[in-house]
Amino acid sequence: MGCGASKEAPKAAAPAATPAKPTAEPAKPVVTPADPPKASAAPAPAPAPAKAPSAPKDPEPVKSAPSATGGTYELPKIGDEKFDAWLSAQLAASGPDVKDTTDFRYLTFSEIPPFIDLHKSLMRKNLTPELFAQLKDIKSSKGYTLSNSIQAGVLRPHLGVGITCGDEECFELFKDILYPVVKGWHGFDPATQTHKSDLDPTKLTFPEDIASKFGTYVKSTRIRAARNIAGFSLPAGASVEDRLAVEGVLKEAFASLPEPLQGKYYPLGGLTSAQEDELQAGGFLFQKPGPMQLLGAAGAGRGWPDGRGIFHNDAKTVLCWCNEEDQCRIIAMEDGGDIKGVFGRFCALSDSIKTASEANGKSLMYDPKLGFLGTCPSNLGTGLRASVMIVLPELNKDVHKLEEICAGFDLQPRGSSGEHSAAVGGKWDISNKQRIGFSEVELVQKMIDGVGKLIALEEELAAAAAGGAAPAKTPSAPAAGSSSYELPKIGDEAFDGWLTSQLAASPADVKDTDDFRYLTFSEIPPFIDLHKSLMRKNLTPELFAQLKDIKSSKGYTLSNSIQAGVLRPHLGVGITCGDEECFELFKDILYPVVKGWHGFDPATQTHKSDLDPTKLTFPEDIASKFGTYVKSTRIRAARNIAGFSLPAGASVEDRLAVEGVLKEAFASLPEPLQGKYYPLGGLTSAQEDELQAGGFLFQKPGPMQLLGAAGAGRGWPDGRGIFHNDAKTVLCW
């Protein structure tokens, strides 16, 4: 996983999901995934109709001064005139760096960057002027500086981590900035905690009955991590000599693997066309990162493709990448659910690289506090991601229950459209959330135990659906009235106690339902470090006091508006609107949030709309190219009807009235768009299967998910539905 690239602030417990590693524009019209797919994994499903907000596109590069080595290096255009001018001045003033190449320049920042609202990283959050002054002139023996380290985070504003390491010394030299970043990303404090490693697969508990269940339900298994060799630079700071030396050590390691793991090493610069096609077809090929992509902006793409390569065994159940993000990424994988066997191969790979390193008088990069070291702080500790692809058709009908079980084992479930979405065909990707503070054996064991629990519940639900006994429900504490509402456990004793007292003191809200309560906060929440949202950043005690008693004519309050951001600490926005009036009543908190998220200031700027497709310029020659290269296209947006509440604050009456208006709209569509409306509460089993197979079905949000925590799941499924035309080229939720 690369340094997190997310518009939402990073979760403190661990990165919620492995951010996709960027790839350069490939020579062939085939997209190469950053993490290779599981062995014989099914092709990725077509995109679902809705997606979470994505990171902004790469900024447009602008031509800049020739590099010291005679090439031309392009700075990104961030989009803020003053910041772009500052960057250009810093580049012009930067002296040559011995690591510069014809197509890459390392900048030397003479002062702390004048970060703008677009910069979201933990590096930006923790780098003070005093700390910059303290560290700016420090250089490792390999020549890596603070400026080198923060360059990617300065040039790529949306990154969640924003700092890279160029060699092993960086972790000590720059620990005053790295340790807070590690703590913010992982919830692990290297200043007070110690990491542990355990690569003994015999310690896993995986009894035959559980292994048999895994064999039935799990379609593929994969475990990956990075290994780096002490004494050589990491890719973001590597010299040509170090890069080639690393490749040499790794080739020795591959040559000494035991028979089941033996295979072939493919130098990236020496691939034949047939080899390239074969590696690309298997998802094994990685591309040069573009200069404005994460690894490219950090300098890891210099001297491409020399010293890079790919190894896999004959059975294609182990795979290694040489000198990509780290010196060596090791992956073990296979079809089926033999997680103990996969972990055994993973450990054998790690041991072989360690043995080859020691034979060359080297060792693996490892620190007692930080564990295995690597380029990005998001991958410290074990750096391990263990995942299974598993089919759970019954649990797929209750995403919240599945997520609830996974949370108990610190696992991350991902559906077809990412977090909090159902999975087409009931096929889920389940992986460990944590990286550091737990050993490899502990993390894989959590995976076994958690997935085993999911399988057991899946079988109970299947038996109940077939007429057997239904699984027992977990009781929860009764709330006001006759409802039973569960508060999340944030994990901070004082804050959890405060939440409980606020719930107990909250009066009844006319919008409450049997399974949901709106809280009324009597004071500004005592936010903790886990709270990352722009709402938390901008909500001062004075502003809370100013807005707390204001209520829209539909009954939506400030407390209603911030509830999701209080209960879901990792959210990046942290505030919702319940009706149209909110945008005026609460603009003193909403406008700063909008500015922080979009870089657009509603107080001084005006938006414009233009829905005339005839104004697009799309000549035939370009259209022809799109027809050749583009596999699918989607455009989506939201529309809401004035006079009715938004879902987070809607009454039953408003929800049904909105449905009525929309059904009239669907009935009056012109012929190519005509189709059928499916009320969510009236679906037959066949209709549900068909909609799910097409990625058209949406699920009730659990109470601790974003929409659920905001109240948008009340009264489910009444008033909800799905429309699509006969050709399935338009879709409405």
Side-chain angles (χ1 to χ4, degrees):
M1 180 184 70
C3 291
S6 172
K7 282 281 289 196
E8 289 206 349
K11 299 174 178 61
T18 305
K21 190 178 282 82
T23 56
E25 293 75 9
K28 300 186 178 184
V30 179
V31 177
T32 303
D35 267 349
K38 300 176 179 67
S40 303
K51 290 175 73 176
S54 61
K57 294 190 296 185
D58 286 345
E60 288 292 327
V62 292
K63 291 286 183 183
S64 58
S67 75
T69 50
T72 299
Y73 173 65
E74 295 180 344
L75 274 176
K77 189 173 182 180
I78 306 300
D80 180 284
E81 189 175 349
K82 288 184 179 179
F83 189 81
D84 286 334
W86 179 86
L87 267 184
S88 295
Q90 291 289 304
L91 176 61
S94 293
D97 188 306
V98 69
K99 303 185 297 294
D100 287 345
T101 59
T102 55
D103 61 353
F104 186 85
R105 289 283 307 279
Y106 286 94
L107 280 71
T108 299
F109 301 118
S110 61
E111 59 185 353
I112 187 170
F115 296 112
I116 57 177
D117 287 343
L118 292 177
H119 286 94
K120 306 294 184 185
S121 72
L122 286 164
M123 176 275 291
R124 179 256 168 99
K125 177 182 176 183
N126 289 284
L127 187 63
T128 63
E130 295 77 16
L131 190 53
F132 180 86
Q134 172 192 327
L135 301 176
K136 74 182 181 71
D137 296 323
I138 294 175
K139 183 184 291 190
S140 73
S141 62
K142 293 283 187 181
Y144 209 72
T145 66
L146 177 69
S147 289
N148 298 163
S149 194
I150 67 174
Q151 180 161 326
V154 174
L155 300 187
R156 297 274 293 168
H158 69 278
L159 293 177
V161 173
I163 191 167
T164 57
C165 291
D167 54 56
E168 191 173 15
E169 290 177 26
C170 293
F171 293 93
E172 178 62 28
L173 296 176
F174 304 126
K175 69 180 180 182
D176 290 344
I177 179 65
L178 285 170
Y179 279 19
V181 168
V182 170
K183 183 179 179 181
W185 187 265
H186 295 283
F188 173 93
D189 186 0
T192 60
Q193 293 177 265
T194 302
H195 180 70
K196 54 187 173 181
S197 180
D198 189 343
L199 288 162
D200 183 354
T202 66
K203 293 181 180 178
L204 290 178
T205 301
F206 194 46
E208 287 186 10
D209 58 330
I210 299 297
S212 175
K213 298 290 187 185
F214 270 59
T216 301
Y217 287 87
V218 175
K219 300 307 176 187
S220 60
T221 304
R222 182 180 62 182
I223 299 174
R224 64 91 170 154
R227 291 294 182 266
N228 294 288
I229 303 166
F232 300 122
S233 298
L234 293 163
S239 64
V240 174
E241 294 76 17
D242 272 7
R243 195 180 302 120
L244 294 176
V246 165
E247 183 184 38
V249 173
L250 292 177
K251 286 163 73 174
E252 287 185 24
F254 302 147
S256 65
L257 286 169
E259 188 174 349
L261 305 185
Q262 290 174 8
K264 183 174 180 179
Y265 178 73
Y266 300 84
L268 212 56
L271 294 177
T272 66
S273 179
Q275 288 171 336
E276 186 173 337
D277 289 344
E278 181 185 355
L279 290 168
Q280 198 165 50
F284 292 177
L285 189 64
F286 61 94
Q287 304 281 348
K288 177 180 179 179
M292 290 309 104
Q293 296 172 351
L294 166 65
L295 294 179
R302 295 164 302 122
W304 200 275
D306 297 341
R308 281 91 173 179
I310 298 160
F311 168 87
H312 67 73
N313 67 339
D314 298 332
K316 297 183 179 179
T317 57
V318 297
L319 172 70
C320 297
W321 284 353
C322 173
N323 284 321
E324 189 241 4
E325 176 177 330
D326 287 288
Q327 292 174 5
C328 188
R329 172 174 289 199
I330 58 175
I331 304 117
M333 56 197 174
E334 70 174 52
D335 288 340
D338 182 13
I339 193 166
K340 191 170 185 178
V342 173
F343 185 54
R345 286 200 303 279
F346 171 86
C347 295
L349 270 176
S350 180
D351 288 343
S352 293
I353 295 169
K354 178 183 178 183
T355 300
S357 301
E358 291 171 347
N360 282 269
K362 305 290 186 182
S363 61
L364 296 181
M365 289 188 191
Y366 188 87
D367 180 86
K369 292 180 176 292
L370 298 170
F372 287 103
L373 304 179
T375 297
C376 182
S378 65
N379 274 333
L380 298 176
T382 63
L384 178 142
R385 184 178 191 266
S387 61
V388 296
M389 189 67 76
I390 183 170
V391 178
L392 301 167
E394 295 299 325
L395 273 169
N396 199 46
K397 299 172 184 176
D398 189 349
V399 175
H400 172 56
K401 175 58 68 177
L402 184 146
E403 290 186 330
E404 192 177 74
I405 294 170
C406 286
F409 293 91
D410 298 307
L411 300 178
Q412 177 67 56
R414 293 182 66 81
S416 301
S417 300
E419 292 181 73
H420 314 315
S421 68
V424 173
K427 187 180 285 187
W428 286 85
D429 181 289
I430 310 287
S431 64
N432 58 295
K433 281 184 182 179
Q434 296 150 320
R435 299 286 187 270
I436 190 169
F438 298 85
S439 73
E440 292 83 356
V441 167
E442 288 173 327
L443 292 179
V444 175
Q445 189 65 56
K446 281 188 180 186
M447 164 74 73
I448 292 171
D449 296 343
V451 172
K453 179 71 172 177
L454 289 173
I455 291 172
L457 184 55
E458 174 70 20
E459 292 187 333
E460 288 183 28
L461 291 168
K473 292 185 177 179
T474 304
S476 58
S482 60
S483 71
S484 183
Y485 173 66
E486 294 180 346
L487 277 174
K489 190 171 183 181
I490 306 301
D492 181 284
E493 188 174 350
F495 188 81
D496 286 334
W498 179 85
L499 267 184
T500 301
S501 65
Q502 290 288 303
L503 175 61
S506 292
D509 188 306
V510 69
K511 304 185 296 295
D512 287 345
T513 60
D514 288 343
D515 61 354
F516 187 84
R517 289 284 308 280
Y518 286 94
L519 279 70
T520 298
F521 301 118
S522 61
E523 59 185 353
I524 187 171
F527 296 112
I528 57 177
D529 287 344
L530 292 177
H531 286 94
K532 305 295 184 184
S533 72
L534 287 164
M535 175 274 291
R536 180 257 168 101
K537 177 182 176 182
N538 289 283
L539 187 63
T540 63
E542 295 77 17
L543 190 53
F544 179 86
Q546 172 192 327
L547 301 177
K548 73 182 181 71
D549 297 322
I550 294 175
K551 183 184 290 190
S552 73
S553 62
K554 293 283 187 180
Y556 209 72
T557 66
L558 177 69
S559 289
N560 298 163
S561 194
I562 67 174
Q563 179 161 326
V566 174
L567 301 187
R568 296 273 293 169
H570 71 278
L571 293 177
V573 173
I575 191 167
T576 57
C577 292
D579 54 55
E580 192 173 12
E581 290 176 25
C582 292
F583 294 93
E584 178 62 29
L585 296 176
F586 304 126
K587 68 180 180 183
D588 289 344
I589 178 66
L590 286 170
Y591 279 19
V593 168
V594 170
K595 183 179 179 182
W597 187 263
H598 295 285
F600 174 92
D601 186 0
T604 61
Q605 294 177 265
T606 303
H607 177 70
K608 56 185 176 182
S609 180
D610 188 342
L611 289 164
D612 182 355
T614 66
K615 294 181 180 178
L616 292 178
T617 301
F618 194 44
E620 288 186 10
D621 58 331
I622 299 298
S624 174
K625 297 293 186 185
F626 270 58
T628 301
Y629 288 89
V630 176
K631 301 308 177 187
S632 62
T633 304
R634 181 179 62 181
I635 299 174
R636 62 98 172 153
R639 292 294 184 267
N640 294 287
I641 304 167
F644 300 121
S645 298
L646 294 163
S651 63
V652 175
E653 295 76 18
D654 272 7
R655 195 180 302 119
L656 294 176
V658 165
E659 184 183 37
V661 173
L662 292 177
K663 286 164 73 174
E664 287 184 23
F666 301 147
S668 64
L669 287 169
E671 188 173 348
L673 305 184
Q674 289 175 8
K676 183 174 180 179
Y677 177 73
Y678 300 85
L680 211 57
L683 294 176
T684 66
S685 178
Q687 288 172 335
E688 186 172 336
D689 289 344
E690 180 185 355
L691 290 168
Q692 195 166 56
F696 292 177
L697 190 63
F698 62 96
Q699 303 281 347
K700 177 180 179 179
M704 290 310 104
Q705 296 172 359
L706 167 64
L707 294 179
R714 296 164 301 123
W716 199 274
D718 298 341
R720 281 91 173 179
I722 298 161
F723 169 86
H724 67 73
N725 67 339
D726 298 332
K728 296 183 179 178
T729 57
V730 297
L731 171 71
C732 297
W733 284 354

